[in-house]
Amino acid sequence: MGFRLSHLSLALSFVALALAGVAIYRNTYEAIIMNNGSLLQNVSPNFDSLESGVASILTLNNKKRNSDKYLRQQTPEACVFSAVRGVVDSAIDAETRMGASLIRLHFHDCFVDGCDGGILLDDINGTFTWEQNSPPNANSARGYEVIAQAKQSVIDTCPNISVSCADILAIAARDSLAKLGGQTYNVALGRSDARTANFSGAINQLPAPFDNLTVQIQKFSDKNFTLREMVALAGAHTVGFARCSTVCTSGNVNPAAQLQCNCSATLTDSDLQQLDTTPTMFDKVYYDNLNNNQGIMFSDQVLTGNATTAAFVTDYSNDVNVFLGDFAAAMIKMGDLPPSAGAQLEIRDVCSRVNPTSVASM
């Protein structure tokens, strides 16, 4: 601040001297002209240009002050959002599928004991098996490396700002949605990271592809979601892919769906089934497919088997803007799910492991 003030004072002094010089020169010239008008008619100085130059100095100085003011007004949150968005955009540019994966990763984090970054913790060999290798996530959930890069980008770009990995997950999901054509929304910061994760919680709390409607309603009700919000969040399946190994498992798939997977072949994790007919666009086609009995997963298609949930499917199929607005609102609500009562929390330095001081106390 002291440097900027001294710099400003010096500039103003220069301007004052320049203006004084112009005034003296003008007065002297006018006095000479009165005595020798004919002699100096053709060497008249351009006072307007001189004064314009001084005005330019003032303008540049004002711009400098305005720029400094703008920089001072930048919030820490703006820096964080920009750092995360740059990483997410690059990841989706490299692989469009990653956008759907990051939305799902945030969902799988928040639905197990709240938005606490638990899904990001690596297992500790011989000691703990966390959520990553729980059956709903093992060889399925992805995007961990993007979150790690986003965390490092925040550290590098926004020094002295402490942001949780759970916050970065929330931002990455929002930015992925916007990148794929969905409706953006505000993400509030302030989440904390859990020092543990819940292997069995991922099994019991996450909706599964084989869940019937009654089970789904109970799981969403446990998180305080309405039926309409449940149907809206299911619309995340309007982007992305499922592994054929999941789709070809009995009970997971809608028997009427037309599949890309060759379920009689030996399947690998690279064999994929798109979840609707436009898997890279966040649109309403998922609901159109449900109304045509072409939902891929069993848990998706059963949404049309109840009059209430079927009506919501039709609402979203009829008006994409209604869906996009409801989905954004439901994502905000999901992003506010708190960690379990009594959970030990911190802001992790590295998203895949608890801080060293935490390890010592475990």
Side-chain angles (χ1 to χ4, degrees):
M1 177 64 75
F3 174 79
R4 287 198 293 267
L5 288 175
S6 62
H7 193 74
L8 174 61
S9 177
L10 182 61
L12 290 175
S13 297
F14 176 75
V15 169
L17 286 172
L19 287 171
V22 170
I24 293 170
Y25 189 37
R26 181 193 289 273
N27 292 337
T28 302
Y29 173 78
E30 289 173 349
I32 294 172
I33 273 291
M34 290 177 64
N35 295 323
N36 302 284
S38 59
L39 177 64
L40 299 177
Q41 275 182 346
N42 297 322
V43 292
S44 173
N46 191 338
F47 290 113
D48 290 338
S49 295
L50 288 170
E51 290 171 342
S52 176
V54 173
S56 296
I57 295 171
L58 286 170
T59 300
L60 288 172
N61 193 60
N62 285 334
K63 287 182 178 179
K64 176 66 168 59
R65 289 204 306 272
N66 290 336
S67 176
D68 289 345
K69 181 180 179 182
Y70 173 77
L71 291 173
R72 290 195 301 272
Q73 288 174 343
Q74 291 300 288
T75 64
E77 289 84 358
C79 183
V80 171
F81 291 144
S82 178
V84 174
R85 184 172 59 253
V87 172
V88 170
D89 284 353
S90 294
I92 297 174
D93 286 341
E95 182 198 15
T96 307
R97 180 189 171 202
M98 184 55 67
S101 298
L102 291 172
I103 294 171
R104 181 171 183 252
L105 197 61
H106 178 47
F107 181 94
H108 279 222
D109 179 45
C110 292
F111 243 70
V112 181
D113 297 339
C115 304
D116 61 1
I119 195 171
L120 302 174
L121 286 173
D122 288 342
D123 291 349
I124 301 176
N125 291 336
T127 305
F128 298 109
T129 300
W130 299 131
E131 293 168 27
Q132 282 189 26
N133 285 311
S134 190
N137 296 322
N139 300 315
S140 175
R142 58 197 299 272
Y144 301 109
E145 72 283 0
V146 178
I147 301 302
Q149 291 165 11
K151 174 72 171 181
Q152 190 60 51
S153 179
V154 170
I155 292 171
D156 294 342
T157 310
C158 314
N160 303 317
I161 299 175
S162 182
V163 179
S164 70
C165 298
D167 276 342
I168 291 174
L169 271 171
I171 300 167
R174 186 272 309 275
D175 292 347
S176 295
L177 175 66
K179 181 83 168 173
L180 297 178
Q183 179 176 309
T184 192
Y185 54 89
N186 292 329
V187 173
L189 303 183
R191 298 167 188 81
S192 295
D193 300 319
R195 291 168 54 183
T196 61
N198 191 343
F199 179 92
S200 62
I203 299 172
N204 299 325
Q205 298 176 44
L206 286 170
F210 51 79
D211 283 347
N212 62 36
L213 189 58
T214 300
V215 173
Q216 290 186 71
I217 289 172
Q218 185 60 57
K219 287 181 176 179
F220 277 85
S221 177
D222 289 343
K223 306 298 180 184
N224 199 33
F225 285 105
T226 66
L227 288 181
R228 188 179 185 94
E229 289 167 338
M230 179 187 78
V231 176
L233 287 172
H237 283 177
T238 197
V239 287
F241 298 79
R243 293 177 302 156
C244 286
S245 57
T246 298
V247 171
C248 293
T249 300
S250 178
N252 287 349
V253 69
N254 169 21
Q258 297 179 8
L259 301 180
Q260 298 165 306
C261 299
N262 180 3
C263 293
S264 62
T266 300
L267 300 172
T268 68
D269 288 339
S270 62
D271 295 313
L272 302 173
Q273 167 69 47
Q274 59 190 39
L275 289 173
D276 78 1
T277 51
T278 56
T280 61
M281 296 176 59
F282 205 90
D283 53 26
K284 68 180 184 68
V285 171
Y286 165 81
Y287 298 103
D288 297 339
N289 292 166
L290 293 186
N291 278 332
N292 291 320
N293 197 27
Q294 285 301 304
I296 299 300
M297 310 310 295
F298 171 80
S299 57
D300 290 330
Q301 194 57 56
V302 296
L303 295 176
T304 62
N306 170 283
T308 302
T309 54
F312 297 142
V313 169
T314 299
D315 286 346
Y316 296 148
S317 178
N318 287 340
D319 193 332
V320 66
N321 291 320
V322 173
F323 163 54
L324 295 179
D326 282 3
F327 185 85
M331 287 291 284
I332 292 172
K333 183 173 179 178
M334 187 185 75
D336 289 338
L337 288 174
S340 297
Q344 295 180 316
L345 303 171
E346 63 184 9
I347 305 297
R348 283 187 221 133
D349 299 327
V350 177
C351 291
S352 60
R353 62 175 185 263
V354 298
N355 294 337
T357 53
S358 299
V359 173
S361 64
M362 292 175 68

